[in-house]
Amino acid sequence: MMLDAMNGGLAAGKEALVQAARDRLRCILAKLDRAAVAVSGGVDSLTLAATASDVMGMRVIMHHATSPAVPGEATERVRQLARARGWALDIFDAGEFLDERYRANPVNRCFFCKTNLYGAIAGRTGSVILSGTNMDDLGDYRPGLEAAKAHGVRHPFVEAGIDKSMVRALAADLGLGDVAELPSAPCLSSRVETGIAIEAPVLRMIEEAEILLRDTLAPHTVRCRVRRAGIVAELDPATLEALTDPLQESLTRSLVALAEKHGVGPRPVAFAPYRTGSAFLRTGA
């Protein structure tokens, strides 16, 4: 009984924290006249969109940019939630693939991506733009935040002191189902090693490769990296350890075939443990 009481107290304490975070976020959103939420299809932006819709109703529009760098499943997730929750949704092409600075894949590629994104949204609305950036994002090198600053973008999660774990708790509280447990999924361009040009066929190959690996292995984490040395399938340690030699050989053949199908190959294929942002080279061109 003592253990039950302790567990009950912990649950109540967590619920109080979630409620306090929810109230802070809703208070920030309630003060806005109109807003435009940049929705990528990940847990952060979808949680912000759901909260903004609940608070602001038709005074908020969700904006989702499609491009070869955005997985098709992310766009479909946005469409489904918009239909289910009655969001006003604007889907458009931000035009970053027309920007040679972005396609050159420099260290600050994200600055050019977000510059195109926020510029396109600003051209479609006079409302303040909101992003799903949370407190945990502030400790990383994020050139996209400079682009956000230049466009006057606000970050309600940051203003409310909300980190990633709390975003997930809020998603669950909002009834967003599997969205609350979505793994982090940066854009497909983040899989391409710094300095290697961003090309649509390469990104299509990456997307198909990750779908193949997920369907075959059901990993907790998967990234298909394109490096100068070849293609690297990064997997969480448990999945990598369980990978048998015959299955690895079969997957290698399939990945080589995908690369050749999209004009990326022939390239050697390797398997390695997942490392966050391993394609990002601060010294890259």
Side-chain angles (χ1 to χ4, degrees):
M1 292 184 64
M2 183 178 294
L3 181 59
D4 289 342
M6 289 177 62
N7 289 336
L10 290 173
K14 181 179 179 181
E15 174 56 31
L17 290 174
V18 173
Q19 181 175 341
R22 180 176 61 235
D23 290 347
R24 293 195 305 273
L25 180 62
R26 291 174 68 91
C27 182
I28 290 166
L29 296 171
K31 293 177 181 178
L32 300 175
D33 180 27
R34 307 189 71 82
V37 179
V39 182
S40 66
V43 60
D44 299 317
S45 62
L46 289 174
T47 301
L48 178 61
T51 306
S53 177
D54 287 351
V55 173
M56 303 180 67
M58 297 310 294
R59 292 186 290 120
V60 61
I61 296 177
M62 317 311 167
H63 296 266
H64 175 71
T66 60
S67 85
V70 178
E73 63 182 14
T75 298
E76 183 56 28
R77 188 181 303 121
V78 172
R79 290 184 188 275
Q80 289 179 359
L81 274 173
R83 285 195 296 267
R85 292 183 169 254
W87 296 346
L89 176 63
D90 174 33
I91 296 180
F92 62 101
D93 182 348
E96 75 268 29
F97 272 73
L98 299 176
D99 188 339
E100 292 297 330
R101 300 168 301 174
Y102 166 82
R103 292 180 59 197
N105 196 17
V107 170
N108 62 339
R109 180 196 70 244
C110 290
F111 173 82
F112 301 113
C113 174
K114 296 300 187 183
T115 293
N116 282 280
L117 171 65
Y118 296 137
I121 295 176
R124 306 171 76 83
T125 177
S127 302
V128 62
I129 302 171
L130 308 180
S131 92
T133 299
N134 66 71
M135 294 295 293
D136 290 342
D137 297 325
L138 303 183
D140 297 332
Y141 174 62
R142 300 266 178 167
L145 291 177
E146 291 301 315
K149 183 178 180 180
H151 284 85
V153 175
R154 290 182 61 175
H155 312 296
F157 288 141
V158 174
E159 295 177 32
I162 294 172
D163 62 11
K164 187 78 169 192
S165 64
M166 184 56 72
V167 170
R168 294 190 184 281
L170 289 171
D173 182 68
L174 285 162
L176 294 181
D178 292 343
V179 168
E181 301 304 323
L182 281 175
S184 297
C187 76
L188 295 174
S189 294
S190 69
R191 276 71 152 171
V192 182
E193 190 171 85
T194 304
I196 298 177
I198 302 296
E199 302 290 351
V202 174
L203 301 187
R204 285 194 291 269
M205 184 276 294
I206 290 171
E207 183 173 13
E208 291 183 22
E210 292 188 359
I211 290 172
L212 169 67
L213 292 166
R214 282 200 300 270
D215 289 349
T216 305
L217 302 174
H220 181 269
T221 306
V222 58
R223 296 287 189 274
C224 177
R225 310 288 193 191
V226 174
R227 304 183 183 282
R228 289 171 179 81
I231 296 168
V232 180
E234 293 187 353
L235 301 166
D236 59 273
T239 302
L240 189 61
E241 185 176 351
L243 185 61
T244 63
D245 289 342
L247 183 52
Q248 181 172 327
E249 291 171 4
S250 174
L251 287 170
T252 296
R253 290 192 294 271
S254 296
L255 292 174
V256 168
L258 275 178
E260 292 177 346
K261 169 187 170 182
H262 291 288
V264 180
R267 288 173 180 255
V269 173
F271 288 77
Y274 168 69
R275 290 189 298 116
T276 302
S278 65
F280 176 67
L281 306 179
R282 290 294 290 268
T283 58

